């Protein structure tokens, strides 16, 4: 583990003060009943592009590790190629928890619990494609009826209206059943995640909460960013978990409007997910100029050497 003294080396804009303040605030929040026994805490680190959000979060993540917190980092931008946003996040979270279990007296049992946390979760994460949905529906309605409903068939003799209605009723019943199964699965997953974190805390003596840092969300495609944020909040909102979302909230509000319509209140919508917002302090113009001059001087020295 790195020496805590070296974590903020090169910190020209006093980001360490922000990190210390945020850590104290989060710990204070987790003294509240809802965050250590009911739900996760989620807040945003807000700042324009180029304000040093990634620099701050990288250093803060290591600072938190030095204080024995478990930290998992997820770069949303590098995972933006995936069509299903939660799959990349799920893999990162699974691997991160498995690594935390390494070296514990009950490592085998803990790793088994890691796997159990995500067992079957793909049903809640991966939506049915259009082709899969059509195949599913055709079991009860028939492909001719699907074409008829969609206006692709000119044959009005088959199937009958009663056959179509009966098939739709069966499809609706199974859809409701699957919805209930997903709800139960998510509830079970949260309980297992909660138990796993408690065991890691006891066996490895890590400090809770678990910090999950999500960076570069504002650089992602609007639909990817919103689906990732919604999925994380609804599927992984377990107690003793702190989600830190690094983004430009103004830009994220535009992404919300791009997905839900220009008249949609994106700012108000985002407040549903965030317990609070932390605005990264503006950089001092003088210190910014000094840092540029310093880097320029370092390059010149390197060239002479």
């Amino acid at each position: 583990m790195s020496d805590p003294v070296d974590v903020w080396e090169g910190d020209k804009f006093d980001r360490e003060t922000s990190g210390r303040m945020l850590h104290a605030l989060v710990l204070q929040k987790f003294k509240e009943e809802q965050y250590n026994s009911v739900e996760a805490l989620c807040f945003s680190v807000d700042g324009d592009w180029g304000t040093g959000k990634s620099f701050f979060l990288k250093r803060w993540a290591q600072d938190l590790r030095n204080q024995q917190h478990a930290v998992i980092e997820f770069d949303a931008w590098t995972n933006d190629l995936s069509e299903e946003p939660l799959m990349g996040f799920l893999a990162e979270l699974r691997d991160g928890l498995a690594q935390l279990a390494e070296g514990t007296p009950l490592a085998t049992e803990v790793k088994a619990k890691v796997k159990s946390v995500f067992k079957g979760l793909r049903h809640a994460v991966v939506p049915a494609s259009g082709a899969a949905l059509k195949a599913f529906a055709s079991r009860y309605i028939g492909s001719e009826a699907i074409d008829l409903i969609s206006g692709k068939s000119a044959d009005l003799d088959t199937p009958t209206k009663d056959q179509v209605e009966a098939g739709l009723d069966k499809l609706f019943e199974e859809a409701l059943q699957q919805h209930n199964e997903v709800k139960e699965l998510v509830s079970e997953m949260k309980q297992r995640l909660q138990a796993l974190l408690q065991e890691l805390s006891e066996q490895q003596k890590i400090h809770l909460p678990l910090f999950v840092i999500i960076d570069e969300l504002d650089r992602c495609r609007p639909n990817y960013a919103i689906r990732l944020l919604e999925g994380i909040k609804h599927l992984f909102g377990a107690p003793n978990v702190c989600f830190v979302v690094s983004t430009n909230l103004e830009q994220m509000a535009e992404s919300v409007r791009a997905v839900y319509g220009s008249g949609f209140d994106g700012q108000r919508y985002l407040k549903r997910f965030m317990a609070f917002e932390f605005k990264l302090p503006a950089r001092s113009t003088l210190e910014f100029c000094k840092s540029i001059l310093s880097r320029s001087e370092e390059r010149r020295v390197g060239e002479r050497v």
Side-chain angles (χ1 to χ4, degrees), residues 38-72:
V38 180
E39 62 179 286
L41 173 69
C42 182
F43 72 91
S44 63
V45 173
D46 181 28
D48 294 334
W49 289 340
T51 53
K53 296 192 298 295
S54 294
F55 171 91
F56 168 69
L57 288 174
K58 285 291 183 185
R59 303 301 177 94
W60 192 43
Q62 187 57 54
D63 198 9
L64 291 171
R65 292 187 181 100
N66 288 340
Q67 298 176 69
Q68 290 187 280
H69 281 287
V71 182
I72 295 175

PDB file of all heavy atoms in Angstrom, residues 38-72:
ATOM      1  N   VAL A  38     -30.302   0.052   5.194  1.00  0.00           N
ATOM      2  CA  VAL A  38     -31.406   0.018   4.239  1.00  0.00           C
ATOM      3  C   VAL A  38     -30.942   0.200   2.800  1.00  0.00           C
ATOM      4  O   VAL A  38     -31.242  -0.615   1.928  1.00  0.00           O
ATOM      5  CB  VAL A  38     -32.472   1.090   4.578  1.00  0.00           C
ATOM      6  CG1 VAL A  38     -33.626   1.025   3.562  1.00  0.00           C
ATOM      7  CG2 VAL A  38     -32.991   0.898   5.997  1.00  0.00           C
ATOM      8  N   GLU A  39     -30.193   1.252   2.505  1.00  0.00           N
ATOM      9  CA  GLU A  39     -29.859   1.573   1.125  1.00  0.00           C
ATOM     10  C   GLU A  39     -28.439   2.098   1.002  1.00  0.00           C
ATOM     11  O   GLU A  39     -27.763   2.358   1.998  1.00  0.00           O
ATOM     12  CB  GLU A  39     -30.842   2.617   0.573  1.00  0.00           C
ATOM     13  CG  GLU A  39     -30.800   3.944   1.324  1.00  0.00           C
ATOM     14  CD  GLU A  39     -31.769   4.966   0.739  1.00  0.00           C
ATOM     15  OE1 GLU A  39     -31.466   5.504  -0.339  1.00  0.00           O
ATOM     16  OE2 GLU A  39     -32.795   5.230   1.376  1.00  0.00           O
ATOM     17  N   ALA A  40     -28.004   2.243  -0.247  1.00  0.00           N
ATOM     18  CA  ALA A  40     -26.680   2.783  -0.521  1.00  0.00           C
ATOM     19  C   ALA A  40     -26.732   4.310  -0.537  1.00  0.00           C
ATOM     20  O   ALA A  40     -27.791   4.917  -0.697  1.00  0.00           O
ATOM     21  CB  ALA A  40     -26.171   2.275  -1.864  1.00  0.00           C
ATOM     22  N   LEU A  41     -25.567   4.909  -0.362  1.00  0.00           N
ATOM     23  CA  LEU A  41     -25.420   6.352  -0.514  1.00  0.00           C
ATOM     24  C   LEU A  41     -24.849   6.618  -1.902  1.00  0.00           C
ATOM     25  O   LEU A  41     -23.907   5.956  -2.330  1.00  0.00           O
ATOM     26  CB  LEU A  41     -24.476   6.909   0.553  1.00  0.00           C
ATOM     27  CG  LEU A  41     -24.083   8.386   0.419  1.00  0.00           C
ATOM     28  CD1 LEU A  41     -25.285   9.287   0.696  1.00  0.00           C
ATOM     29  CD2 LEU A  41     -22.932   8.733   1.367  1.00  0.00           C
ATOM     30  N   CYS A  42     -25.424   7.561  -2.607  1.00  0.00           N
ATOM     31  CA  CYS A  42     -24.934   7.926  -3.934  1.00  0.00           C
ATOM     32  C   CYS A  42     -24.837   9.449  -4.010  1.00  0.00           C
ATOM     33  O   CYS A  42     -25.806  10.154  -3.705  1.00  0.00           O
ATOM     34  CB  CYS A  42     -25.869   7.396  -5.016  1.00  0.00           C
ATOM     35  SG  CYS A  42     -25.325   7.741  -6.708  1.00  0.00           S
ATOM     36  N   PHE A  43     -23.664   9.948  -4.390  1.00  0.00           N
ATOM     37  CA  PHE A  43     -23.526  11.388  -4.572  1.00  0.00           C
ATOM     38  C   PHE A  43     -22.643  11.662  -5.783  1.00  0.00           C
ATOM     39  O   PHE A  43     -21.964  10.771  -6.291  1.00  0.00           O
ATOM     40  CB  PHE A  43     -22.959  12.064  -3.315  1.00  0.00           C
ATOM     41  CG  PHE A  43     -21.503  11.809  -3.048  1.00  0.00           C
ATOM     42  CD1 PHE A  43     -20.527  12.658  -3.538  1.00  0.00           C
ATOM     43  CD2 PHE A  43     -21.107  10.725  -2.273  1.00  0.00           C
ATOM     44  CE1 PHE A  43     -19.183  12.432  -3.285  1.00  0.00           C
ATOM     45  CE2 PHE A  43     -19.763  10.484  -2.010  1.00  0.00           C
ATOM     46  CZ  PHE A  43     -18.804  11.337  -2.523  1.00  0.00           C
ATOM     47  N   SER A  44     -22.662  12.894  -6.260  1.00  0.00           N
ATOM     48  CA  SER A  44     -21.917  13.250  -7.465  1.00  0.00           C
ATOM     49  C   SER A  44     -20.763  14.187  -7.129  1.00  0.00           C
ATOM     50  O   SER A  44     -20.851  15.013  -6.222  1.00  0.00           O
ATOM     51  CB  SER A  44     -22.841  13.929  -8.490  1.00  0.00           C
ATOM     52  OG  SER A  44     -23.341  15.148  -7.977  1.00  0.00           O
ATOM     53  N   VAL A  45     -19.680  14.013  -7.877  1.00  0.00           N
ATOM     54  CA  VAL A  45     -18.588  14.989  -7.889  1.00  0.00           C
ATOM     55  C   VAL A  45     -18.740  15.739  -9.202  1.00  0.00           C
ATOM     56  O   VAL A  45     -18.513  15.189 -10.284  1.00  0.00           O
ATOM     57  CB  VAL A  45     -17.214  14.303  -7.793  1.00  0.00           C
ATOM     58  CG1 VAL A  45     -16.092  15.323  -7.977  1.00  0.00           C
ATOM     59  CG2 VAL A  45     -17.070  13.595  -6.446  1.00  0.00           C
ATOM     60  N   ASP A  46     -19.149  16.991  -9.097  1.00  0.00           N
ATOM     61  CA  ASP A  46     -19.526  17.778 -10.266  1.00  0.00           C
ATOM     62  C   ASP A  46     -18.398  18.726 -10.666  1.00  0.00           C
ATOM     63  O   ASP A  46     -17.738  19.316  -9.811  1.00  0.00           O
ATOM     64  CB  ASP A  46     -20.797  18.582  -9.936  1.00  0.00           C
ATOM     65  CG  ASP A  46     -21.284  19.418 -11.109  1.00  0.00           C
ATOM     66  OD1 ASP A  46     -21.031  19.019 -12.264  1.00  0.00           O
ATOM     67  OD2 ASP A  46     -21.915  20.461 -10.858  1.00  0.00           O
ATOM     68  N   GLY A  47     -18.196  18.854 -11.956  1.00  0.00           N
ATOM     69  CA  GLY A  47     -17.188  19.784 -12.457  1.00  0.00           C
ATOM     70  C   GLY A  47     -17.156  19.782 -13.967  1.00  0.00           C
ATOM     71  O   GLY A  47     -17.487  18.778 -14.602  1.00  0.00           O
ATOM     72  N   ASP A  48     -16.784  20.910 -14.553  1.00  0.00           N
ATOM     73  CA  ASP A  48     -16.661  20.989 -16.002  1.00  0.00           C
ATOM     74  C   ASP A  48     -15.502  20.122 -16.473  1.00  0.00           C
ATOM     75  O   ASP A  48     -14.622  19.725 -15.692  1.00  0.00           O
ATOM     76  CB  ASP A  48     -16.427  22.441 -16.443  1.00  0.00           C
ATOM     77  CG  ASP A  48     -17.626  23.325 -16.150  1.00  0.00           C
ATOM     78  OD1 ASP A  48     -18.747  22.783 -16.082  1.00  0.00           O
ATOM     79  OD2 ASP A  48     -17.444  24.543 -15.970  1.00  0.00           O
ATOM     80  N   TRP A  49     -15.496  19.831 -17.779  1.00  0.00           N
ATOM     81  CA  TRP A  49     -14.361  19.103 -18.354  1.00  0.00           C
ATOM     82  C   TRP A  49     -13.081  19.908 -18.134  1.00  0.00           C
ATOM     83  O   TRP A  49     -13.046  21.120 -18.302  1.00  0.00           O
ATOM     84  CB  TRP A  49     -14.582  18.888 -19.848  1.00  0.00           C
ATOM     85  CG  TRP A  49     -15.659  17.882 -20.133  1.00  0.00           C
ATOM     86  CD1 TRP A  49     -16.147  16.932 -19.284  1.00  0.00           C
ATOM     87  CD2 TRP A  49     -16.374  17.724 -21.361  1.00  0.00           C
ATOM     88  NE1 TRP A  49     -17.121  16.191 -19.886  1.00  0.00           N
ATOM     89  CE2 TRP A  49     -17.288  16.653 -21.167  1.00  0.00           C
ATOM     90  CE3 TRP A  49     -16.329  18.365 -22.591  1.00  0.00           C
ATOM     91  CZ2 TRP A  49     -18.148  16.212 -22.162  1.00  0.00           C
ATOM     92  CZ3 TRP A  49     -17.193  17.925 -23.596  1.00  0.00           C
ATOM     93  CH2 TRP A  49     -18.087  16.866 -23.375  1.00  0.00           C
ATOM     94  N   GLY A  50     -12.021  19.197 -17.751  1.00  0.00           N
ATOM     95  CA  GLY A  50     -10.737  19.858 -17.566  1.00  0.00           C
ATOM     96  C   GLY A  50     -10.524  20.451 -16.187  1.00  0.00           C
ATOM     97  O   GLY A  50      -9.516  21.123 -15.947  1.00  0.00           O
ATOM     98  N   THR A  51     -11.459  20.202 -15.253  1.00  0.00           N
ATOM     99  CA  THR A  51     -11.307  20.762 -13.907  1.00  0.00           C
ATOM    100  C   THR A  51     -10.550  19.825 -12.971  1.00  0.00           C
ATOM    101  O   THR A  51     -10.362  20.143 -11.800  1.00  0.00           O
ATOM    102  CB  THR A  51     -12.678  21.096 -13.289  1.00  0.00           C
ATOM    103  OG1 THR A  51     -13.518  19.936 -13.345  1.00  0.00           O
ATOM    104  CG2 THR A  51     -13.343  22.240 -14.032  1.00  0.00           C
ATOM    105  N   GLY A  52     -10.146  18.663 -13.473  1.00  0.00           N
ATOM    106  CA  GLY A  52      -9.331  17.764 -12.660  1.00  0.00           C
ATOM    107  C   GLY A  52     -10.125  16.733 -11.874  1.00  0.00           C
ATOM    108  O   GLY A  52      -9.645  16.248 -10.845  1.00  0.00           O
ATOM    109  N   LYS A  53     -11.308  16.355 -12.345  1.00  0.00           N
ATOM    110  CA  LYS A  53     -12.117  15.364 -11.616  1.00  0.00           C
ATOM    111  C   LYS A  53     -11.393  14.019 -11.537  1.00  0.00           C
ATOM    112  O   LYS A  53     -11.356  13.393 -10.483  1.00  0.00           O
ATOM    113  CB  LYS A  53     -13.487  15.191 -12.277  1.00  0.00           C
ATOM    114  CG  LYS A  53     -14.368  16.427 -12.265  1.00  0.00           C
ATOM    115  CD  LYS A  53     -15.807  16.122 -12.666  1.00  0.00           C
ATOM    116  CE  LYS A  53     -15.941  15.594 -14.080  1.00  0.00           C
ATOM    117  NZ  LYS A  53     -15.558  16.591 -15.095  1.00  0.00           N
ATOM    118  N   SER A  54     -10.838  13.581 -12.664  1.00  0.00           N
ATOM    119  CA  SER A  54     -10.168  12.272 -12.680  1.00  0.00           C
ATOM    120  C   SER A  54      -8.923  12.280 -11.801  1.00  0.00           C
ATOM    121  O   SER A  54      -8.640  11.304 -11.090  1.00  0.00           O
ATOM    122  CB  SER A  54      -9.802  11.878 -14.114  1.00  0.00           C
ATOM    123  OG  SER A  54     -10.962  11.656 -14.888  1.00  0.00           O
ATOM    124  N   PHE A  55      -8.158  13.382 -11.853  1.00  0.00           N
ATOM    125  CA  PHE A  55      -6.983  13.514 -10.974  1.00  0.00           C
ATOM    126  C   PHE A  55      -7.411  13.389  -9.523  1.00  0.00           C
ATOM    127  O   PHE A  55      -6.813  12.637  -8.733  1.00  0.00           O
ATOM    128  CB  PHE A  55      -6.311  14.873 -11.205  1.00  0.00           C
ATOM    129  CG  PHE A  55      -5.226  15.195 -10.207  1.00  0.00           C
ATOM    130  CD1 PHE A  55      -3.908  14.852 -10.463  1.00  0.00           C
ATOM    131  CD2 PHE A  55      -5.520  15.843  -9.009  1.00  0.00           C
ATOM    132  CE1 PHE A  55      -2.899  15.129  -9.542  1.00  0.00           C
ATOM    133  CE2 PHE A  55      -4.526  16.128  -8.081  1.00  0.00           C
ATOM    134  CZ  PHE A  55      -3.213  15.770  -8.357  1.00  0.00           C
ATOM    135  N   PHE A  56      -8.455  14.118  -9.168  1.00  0.00           N
ATOM    136  CA  PHE A  56      -8.937  14.105  -7.787  1.00  0.00           C
ATOM    137  C   PHE A  56      -9.380  12.711  -7.373  1.00  0.00           C
ATOM    138  O   PHE A  56      -9.015  12.217  -6.300  1.00  0.00           O
ATOM    139  CB  PHE A  56     -10.092  15.096  -7.631  1.00  0.00           C
ATOM    140  CG  PHE A  56     -10.841  14.944  -6.336  1.00  0.00           C
ATOM    141  CD1 PHE A  56     -10.242  15.288  -5.129  1.00  0.00           C
ATOM    142  CD2 PHE A  56     -12.133  14.439  -6.324  1.00  0.00           C
ATOM    143  CE1 PHE A  56     -10.922  15.130  -3.931  1.00  0.00           C
ATOM    144  CE2 PHE A  56     -12.825  14.278  -5.129  1.00  0.00           C
ATOM    145  CZ  PHE A  56     -12.219  14.624  -3.931  1.00  0.00           C
ATOM    146  N   LEU A  57     -10.163  12.036  -8.212  1.00  0.00           N
ATOM    147  CA  LEU A  57     -10.717  10.743  -7.833  1.00  0.00           C
ATOM    148  C   LEU A  57      -9.649   9.661  -7.731  1.00  0.00           C
ATOM    149  O   LEU A  57      -9.720   8.793  -6.863  1.00  0.00           O
ATOM    150  CB  LEU A  57     -11.798  10.330  -8.829  1.00  0.00           C
ATOM    151  CG  LEU A  57     -13.107  11.129  -8.727  1.00  0.00           C
ATOM    152  CD1 LEU A  57     -14.057  10.747  -9.839  1.00  0.00           C
ATOM    153  CD2 LEU A  57     -13.771  10.914  -7.368  1.00  0.00           C
ATOM    154  N   LYS A  58      -8.650   9.690  -8.628  1.00  0.00           N
ATOM    155  CA  LYS A  58      -7.560   8.710  -8.545  1.00  0.00           C
ATOM    156  C   LYS A  58      -6.805   8.856  -7.230  1.00  0.00           C
ATOM    157  O   LYS A  58      -6.489   7.869  -6.553  1.00  0.00           O
ATOM    158  CB  LYS A  58      -6.609   8.892  -9.735  1.00  0.00           C
ATOM    159  CG  LYS A  58      -7.142   8.377 -11.059  1.00  0.00           C
ATOM    160  CD  LYS A  58      -7.232   6.863 -11.073  1.00  0.00           C
ATOM    161  CE  LYS A  58      -7.694   6.355 -12.442  1.00  0.00           C
ATOM    162  NZ  LYS A  58      -7.901   4.885 -12.413  1.00  0.00           N
ATOM    163  N   ARG A  59      -6.479  10.090  -6.879  1.00  0.00           N
ATOM    164  CA  ARG A  59      -5.738  10.323  -5.639  1.00  0.00           C
ATOM    165  C   ARG A  59      -6.609  10.007  -4.415  1.00  0.00           C
ATOM    166  O   ARG A  59      -6.131   9.424  -3.438  1.00  0.00           O
ATOM    167  CB  ARG A  59      -5.254  11.773  -5.580  1.00  0.00           C
ATOM    168  CG  ARG A  59      -4.377  12.214  -6.749  1.00  0.00           C
ATOM    169  CD  ARG A  59      -3.119  11.364  -6.897  1.00  0.00           C
ATOM    170  NE  ARG A  59      -2.322  11.744  -8.041  1.00  0.00           N
ATOM    171  CZ  ARG A  59      -1.305  12.602  -8.000  1.00  0.00           C
ATOM    172  NH1 ARG A  59      -0.954  13.183  -6.864  1.00  0.00           N
ATOM    173  NH2 ARG A  59      -0.619  12.881  -9.108  1.00  0.00           N
ATOM    174  N   TRP A  60      -7.866  10.399  -4.480  1.00  0.00           N
ATOM    175  CA  TRP A  60      -8.765  10.167  -3.345  1.00  0.00           C
ATOM    176  C   TRP A  60      -9.001   8.672  -3.145  1.00  0.00           C
ATOM    177  O   TRP A  60      -9.054   8.200  -2.014  1.00  0.00           O
ATOM    178  CB  TRP A  60     -10.092  10.897  -3.564  1.00  0.00           C
ATOM    179  CG  TRP A  60     -10.956  10.938  -2.334  1.00  0.00           C
ATOM    180  CD1 TRP A  60     -10.546  11.198  -1.062  1.00  0.00           C
ATOM    181  CD2 TRP A  60     -12.365  10.694  -2.264  1.00  0.00           C
ATOM    182  NE1 TRP A  60     -11.621  11.142  -0.190  1.00  0.00           N
ATOM    183  CE2 TRP A  60     -12.741  10.837  -0.907  1.00  0.00           C
ATOM    184  CE3 TRP A  60     -13.332  10.393  -3.211  1.00  0.00           C
ATOM    185  CZ2 TRP A  60     -14.063  10.687  -0.471  1.00  0.00           C
ATOM    186  CZ3 TRP A  60     -14.646  10.234  -2.786  1.00  0.00           C
ATOM    187  CH2 TRP A  60     -15.003  10.380  -1.436  1.00  0.00           C
ATOM    188  N   ALA A  61      -9.128   7.924  -4.238  1.00  0.00           N
ATOM    189  CA  ALA A  61      -9.323   6.478  -4.133  1.00  0.00           C
ATOM    190  C   ALA A  61      -8.164   5.826  -3.381  1.00  0.00           C
ATOM    191  O   ALA A  61      -8.358   4.976  -2.505  1.00  0.00           O
ATOM    192  CB  ALA A  61      -9.465   5.861  -5.522  1.00  0.00           C
ATOM    193  N   GLN A  62      -6.918   6.248  -3.718  1.00  0.00           N
ATOM    194  CA  GLN A  62      -5.763   5.680  -3.026  1.00  0.00           C
ATOM    195  C   GLN A  62      -5.716   6.132  -1.572  1.00  0.00           C
ATOM    196  O   GLN A  62      -5.350   5.360  -0.675  1.00  0.00           O
ATOM    197  CB  GLN A  62      -4.471   6.074  -3.738  1.00  0.00           C
ATOM    198  CG  GLN A  62      -3.231   5.395  -3.177  1.00  0.00           C
ATOM    199  CD  GLN A  62      -3.340   3.881  -3.215  1.00  0.00           C
ATOM    200  OE1 GLN A  62      -3.598   3.296  -4.260  1.00  0.00           O
ATOM    201  NE2 GLN A  62      -3.164   3.234  -2.066  1.00  0.00           N
ATOM    202  N   ASP A  63      -6.115   7.372  -1.332  1.00  0.00           N
ATOM    203  CA  ASP A  63      -6.171   7.880   0.035  1.00  0.00           C
ATOM    204  C   ASP A  63      -7.158   7.064   0.868  1.00  0.00           C
ATOM    205  O   ASP A  63      -6.891   6.722   2.027  1.00  0.00           O
ATOM    206  CB  ASP A  63      -6.587   9.355   0.018  1.00  0.00           C
ATOM    207  CG  ASP A  63      -6.247  10.070   1.319  1.00  0.00           C
ATOM    208  OD1 ASP A  63      -5.539   9.477   2.164  1.00  0.00           O
ATOM    209  OD2 ASP A  63      -6.693  11.214   1.495  1.00  0.00           O
ATOM    210  N   LEU A  64      -8.301   6.719   0.283  1.00  0.00           N
ATOM    211  CA  LEU A  64      -9.294   5.907   0.981  1.00  0.00           C
ATOM    212  C   LEU A  64      -8.753   4.507   1.259  1.00  0.00           C
ATOM    213  O   LEU A  64      -8.986   3.937   2.331  1.00  0.00           O
ATOM    214  CB  LEU A  64     -10.574   5.818   0.150  1.00  0.00           C
ATOM    215  CG  LEU A  64     -11.380   7.109   0.015  1.00  0.00           C
ATOM    216  CD1 LEU A  64     -12.490   6.944  -1.016  1.00  0.00           C
ATOM    217  CD2 LEU A  64     -11.976   7.532   1.353  1.00  0.00           C
ATOM    218  N   ARG A  65      -8.023   3.942   0.291  1.00  0.00           N
ATOM    219  CA  ARG A  65      -7.427   2.621   0.508  1.00  0.00           C
ATOM    220  C   ARG A  65      -6.407   2.676   1.642  1.00  0.00           C
ATOM    221  O   ARG A  65      -6.291   1.730   2.436  1.00  0.00           O
ATOM    222  CB  ARG A  65      -6.757   2.119  -0.771  1.00  0.00           C
ATOM    223  CG  ARG A  65      -7.729   1.784  -1.893  1.00  0.00           C
ATOM    224  CD  ARG A  65      -7.013   1.126  -3.062  1.00  0.00           C
ATOM    225  NE  ARG A  65      -7.932   0.818  -4.156  1.00  0.00           N
ATOM    226  CZ  ARG A  65      -8.070   1.550  -5.252  1.00  0.00           C
ATOM    227  NH1 ARG A  65      -7.320   2.644  -5.423  1.00  0.00           N
ATOM    228  NH2 ARG A  65      -8.939   1.213  -6.182  1.00  0.00           N
ATOM    229  N   ASN A  66      -5.669   3.753   1.709  1.00  0.00           N
ATOM    230  CA  ASN A  66      -4.689   3.903   2.785  1.00  0.00           C
ATOM    231  C   ASN A  66      -5.362   3.966   4.152  1.00  0.00           C
ATOM    232  O   ASN A  66      -4.744   3.683   5.176  1.00  0.00           O
ATOM    233  CB  ASN A  66      -3.862   5.172   2.578  1.00  0.00           C
ATOM    234  CG  ASN A  66      -2.888   5.039   1.423  1.00  0.00           C
ATOM    235  OD1 ASN A  66      -2.548   3.927   1.001  1.00  0.00           O
ATOM    236  ND2 ASN A  66      -2.453   6.156   0.879  1.00  0.00           N
ATOM    237  N   GLN A  67      -6.645   4.322   4.142  1.00  0.00           N
ATOM    238  CA  GLN A  67      -7.416   4.363   5.392  1.00  0.00           C
ATOM    239  C   GLN A  67      -8.257   3.100   5.560  1.00  0.00           C
ATOM    240  O   GLN A  67      -9.225   3.092   6.311  1.00  0.00           O
ATOM    241  CB  GLN A  67      -8.295   5.609   5.412  1.00  0.00           C
ATOM    242  CG  GLN A  67      -7.483   6.908   5.371  1.00  0.00           C
ATOM    243  CD  GLN A  67      -8.357   8.137   5.296  1.00  0.00           C
ATOM    244  OE1 GLN A  67      -9.050   8.470   6.255  1.00  0.00           O
ATOM    245  NE2 GLN A  67      -8.330   8.834   4.170  1.00  0.00           N
ATOM    246  N   GLN A  68      -7.869   2.038   4.835  1.00  0.00           N
ATOM    247  CA  GLN A  68      -8.440   0.693   4.954  1.00  0.00           C
ATOM    248  C   GLN A  68      -9.874   0.580   4.438  1.00  0.00           C
ATOM    249  O   GLN A  68     -10.599  -0.321   4.836  1.00  0.00           O
ATOM    250  CB  GLN A  68      -8.363   0.195   6.401  1.00  0.00           C
ATOM    251  CG  GLN A  68      -6.943  -0.113   6.859  1.00  0.00           C
ATOM    252  CD  GLN A  68      -6.947  -0.761   8.224  1.00  0.00           C
ATOM    253  OE1 GLN A  68      -7.073  -0.098   9.245  1.00  0.00           O
ATOM    254  NE2 GLN A  68      -6.807  -2.073   8.243  1.00  0.00           N
ATOM    255  N   HIS A  69     -10.242   1.457   3.539  1.00  0.00           N
ATOM    256  CA  HIS A  69     -11.531   1.309   2.879  1.00  0.00           C
ATOM    257  C   HIS A  69     -11.357   0.423   1.644  1.00  0.00           C
ATOM    258  O   HIS A  69     -10.313   0.445   0.986  1.00  0.00           O
ATOM    259  CB  HIS A  69     -12.084   2.660   2.438  1.00  0.00           C
ATOM    260  CG  HIS A  69     -12.706   3.455   3.540  1.00  0.00           C
ATOM    261  ND1 HIS A  69     -13.922   3.133   4.101  1.00  0.00           N
ATOM    262  CD2 HIS A  69     -12.265   4.554   4.194  1.00  0.00           C
ATOM    263  CE1 HIS A  69     -14.210   4.007   5.049  1.00  0.00           C
ATOM    264  NE2 HIS A  69     -13.215   4.873   5.134  1.00  0.00           N
ATOM    265  N   ALA A  70     -12.386  -0.341   1.330  1.00  0.00           N
ATOM    266  CA  ALA A  70     -12.419  -1.073   0.070  1.00  0.00           C
ATOM    267  C   ALA A  70     -12.908  -0.109  -1.008  1.00  0.00           C
ATOM    268  O   ALA A  70     -13.909   0.575  -0.828  1.00  0.00           O
ATOM    269  CB  ALA A  70     -13.365  -2.262   0.176  1.00  0.00           C
ATOM    270  N   VAL A  71     -12.172  -0.058  -2.125  1.00  0.00           N
ATOM    271  CA  VAL A  71     -12.514   0.868  -3.208  1.00  0.00           C
ATOM    272  C   VAL A  71     -12.501   0.124  -4.535  1.00  0.00           C
ATOM    273  O   VAL A  71     -11.551  -0.595  -4.843  1.00  0.00           O
ATOM    274  CB  VAL A  71     -11.510   2.050  -3.282  1.00  0.00           C
ATOM    275  CG1 VAL A  71     -11.927   3.019  -4.389  1.00  0.00           C
ATOM    276  CG2 VAL A  71     -11.426   2.776  -1.941  1.00  0.00           C
ATOM    277  N   ILE A  72     -13.568   0.283  -5.313  1.00  0.00           N
ATOM    278  CA  ILE A  72     -13.649  -0.267  -6.665  1.00  0.00           C
ATOM    279  C   ILE A  72     -13.847   0.897  -7.622  1.00  0.00           C
ATOM    280  O   ILE A  72     -14.740   1.730  -7.420  1.00  0.00           O
ATOM    281  CB  ILE A  72     -14.813  -1.268  -6.791  1.00  0.00           C
ATOM    282  CG1 ILE A  72     -14.541  -2.483  -5.894  1.00  0.00           C
ATOM    283  CG2 ILE A  72     -14.998  -1.708  -8.247  1.00  0.00           C
ATOM    284  CD1 ILE A  72     -15.684  -3.475  -5.846  1.00  0.00           C
TER     285      ILE A  72
END
